[in-house]
Amino acid sequence: MKEFIVAIDRLPWIAKLLLALPFLNIVYGIYRLIKGLDRNDLVLIIAGLVWIFAGWAILWIIDLITVILYKKITIFA
């Protein structure tokens, strides 16, 4: 699991930007879920599940903005 987390964290900025687009944003939902499981953080696990099921609708905008401004995704923990 840690390899996946490190791989997503080390992606170039343009790849992170592309993954923040609708329907590709499920990767960030899985990332949050795996990171929450790794940290044993219930809030992050719930955020990951919500992002997987609703991220394509509206939550991708949050990821897109945070990747543009901070060059990383929002973790909420």
Side-chain angles (χ1 to χ4, degrees), residues 15-32:
K16 288 180 182 180
L17 190 64
L18 290 174
L19 288 175
L21 296 174
F23 297 107
L24 294 176
N25 195 262
I26 193 167
V27 174
Y28 287 148
I30 295 168
Y31 170 78
R32 286 180 177 94

Side-chain angles (χ1 to χ4, degrees), residues 19-30 32 46-64 76:
L19 288 175
L21 296 174
F23 297 107
L24 294 176
N25 195 262
I26 193 167
V27 174
Y28 287 148
I30 295 168
R32 286 180 177 94
I46 292 171
L49 290 172
V50 168
W51 235 268
I52 289 171
F53 294 111
W56 61 271
I58 190 74
L59 299 174
W60 65 273
I61 296 171
I62 296 170
D63 281 341
L64 188 65
F76 301 114

Side-chain angles (χ1 to χ4, degrees), residues 39-54:
R39 289 184 181 178
N40 210 8
D41 184 359
L42 184 61
V43 173
L44 199 51
I45 293 170
I46 292 171
L49 290 172
V50 168
W51 235 268
I52 289 171
F53 294 111

Side-chain angles (χ1 to χ4, degrees), residues 5-23:
I5 295 169
V6 171
I8 296 293
D9 287 338
R10 289 186 179 170
L11 283 175
W13 178 76
I14 193 73
K16 288 180 182 180
L17 190 64
L18 290 174
L19 288 175
L21 296 174
F23 297 107

